[in-house]
Amino acid sequence: MNDNQSSIGELIKEFYKQHHRENAFEEMKVLESWRSVVGDFISDHTLDLRIVRNVLYVKVDADSLRNELMYSRTSLLNNLNKVAEMELLKDIVFI
């Protein structure tokens, strides 16, 4: 490759960097792994997942489930960061 050529991967990384989305691929891996990390039951009761500024927001359909998930917050955080292969998430908020 000469100086004027870049690989597609480099161009994509630069695009995400310019748009302050350096961790977009890792975020997608975390969101896509939710079911495998928490299991079918919790996943079936999850209404929405989103990551904003390294915080995962999880909307569930039952107050009792939200309370139970709060007890597992640290474990979930560790498992999801393992999927990302980096310390992507700083916290999880259940709503």
Side-chain angles (χ1 to χ4, degrees), residues 34 38 42 46 48-49 55-60 62-63 65-77 80 91-95:
W34 179 251
V38 300
I42 293 172
T46 301
D48 189 34
L49 289 173
V55 176
L56 175 63
Y57 292 87
V58 180
K59 185 174 183 180
V60 295
D63 292 338
L65 180 58
R66 182 174 45 248
N67 291 335
E68 290 297 319
L69 287 170
M70 291 182 69
Y71 291 114
S72 302
R73 176 186 276 144
T74 302
S75 176
L76 287 171
L77 196 58
L80 291 167
D91 198 8
I92 301 176
V93 175
F94 300 102
I95 50 178

Side-chain angles (χ1 to χ4, degrees), residues 9 12-14 16-17 20-34 36-37 49-52 54-56 76-90:
I12 291 171
K13 286 179 186 177
E14 184 60 30
Y16 280 121
K17 185 175 181 181
H20 307 288
R21 298 286 298 150
E22 293 93 342
N23 297 323
F25 290 118
E26 289 80 8
E27 289 177 2
M28 288 291 274
K29 283 196 313 191
V30 166
L31 295 174
E32 290 174 357
S33 72
W34 179 251
S36 66
V37 171
L49 289 173
R50 68 190 120 99
I51 299 173
V52 179
N54 299 88
V55 176
L56 175 63
L76 287 171
L77 196 58
N78 290 334
N79 290 337
L80 291 167
N81 280 331
K82 283 180 188 173
V83 168
E85 299 176 353
M86 64 184 292
E87 192 176 330
L88 175 71
L89 300 175
K90 305 296 184 203

